[in-house]
Amino acid sequence: YALTNNIDDKAFVRAMLSDLGTIVSIDAKRIYATGFSNGAILSYRLACEMSDVFAAIAPVAGTLDYSPCEPQQPVSVLHVQGMADRQVPYEGGGVLDFPPLEQVIATWVDLNGCPSSAVVDHPIEKITHSAYATCEAGTAVEVYAIEAGGHSWVSKYVYPLSETIWDFFAAHPKP
């Protein structure tokens, strides 16, 4: 809807944050975005266009589908992707010809000045966690690849994804 009706998402988000600031105290160093599918794509766009505002993002089952992505400041990224996702394929392509996740992550590793190699572990069977730490300004880029995961949010009974995202956000405020 926003795309076809030329809605200015960036202006909307800035106005929403401004409005929220009139009723609650907002820590400007701890503003984060997460989203699923199109919401994940929006979170990437916000990081690209509003890096002065967002400290970190956590896109789930989405991709960086915004060009040019030229953030003014580093933004931490925790990306979650099912390797069996048919809507947003891990290897790229699909109906909308999305870029492969590896390319998306390489872009953010470069944008954030991270080391070129990740520390890889397996928090549980069939989930691979890759972490590029010690990036510029204390940022990080992390990926959770879900081996049999499709286009969905991981069930809390499989893996505590929401808590993992919150822990990542809590560890990555703006400097």
Side-chain angles (χ1 to χ4, degrees):
Y1 179 88
L3 178 62
T4 59
N5 290 285
N6 201 30
I7 303 298
D8 186 345
D9 289 325
K10 185 170 91 170
F12 171 76
V13 170
R14 283 192 190 275
M16 181 181 64
L17 290 170
S18 177
D19 187 50
L20 282 171
T22 67
I23 57 175
V24 296
S25 178
I26 296 176
D27 182 347
K29 292 185 177 205
R30 295 185 177 277
I31 298 176
Y32 309 106
T34 188
F36 169 76
S37 193
N38 279 339
I41 293 169
L42 175 61
S43 69
Y44 270 124
R45 181 173 175 204
L46 295 173
C48 293
E49 290 191 331
M50 296 175 63
S51 62
D52 61 315
V53 173
F54 288 91
I57 62 169
V60 178
T63 189
L64 173 62
D65 190 30
Y66 184 76
S67 183
C69 182
E70 299 171 338
Q72 302 289 320
Q73 302 170 17
V75 176
S76 291
V77 175
L78 182 150
H79 187 107
V80 180
Q81 188 71 36
M83 296 178 75
D85 188 336
R86 292 183 185 163
Q87 266 59 47
V88 183
Y90 185 89
E91 297 296 330
V95 175
L96 298 175
D97 195 29
F98 290 120
L101 180 61
E102 186 176 291
Q103 178 183 325
V104 170
I105 297 307
T107 296
W108 281 97
V109 164
D110 182 54
L111 288 169
N112 285 351
C114 303
S116 60
S117 61
V119 174
V120 178
D121 66 283
H122 299 275
I124 65 170
E125 187 179 349
K126 299 188 182 209
I127 293 183
T128 301
H129 171 235
S130 303
Y132 300 83
T134 64
C135 307
E136 289 178 13
T139 59
V141 175
E142 297 187 19
V143 178
Y144 284 85
I146 316 301
E147 187 177 307
H151 195 69
S152 62
W153 192 278
V154 178
S155 165
K156 67 181 180 178
Y157 301 109
V158 174
Y159 190 75
L161 180 58
S162 296
E163 291 84 355
T164 299
I165 289 171
W166 176 248
D167 291 344
F168 181 82
F169 285 167
H172 295 95
K174 283 208 158 298

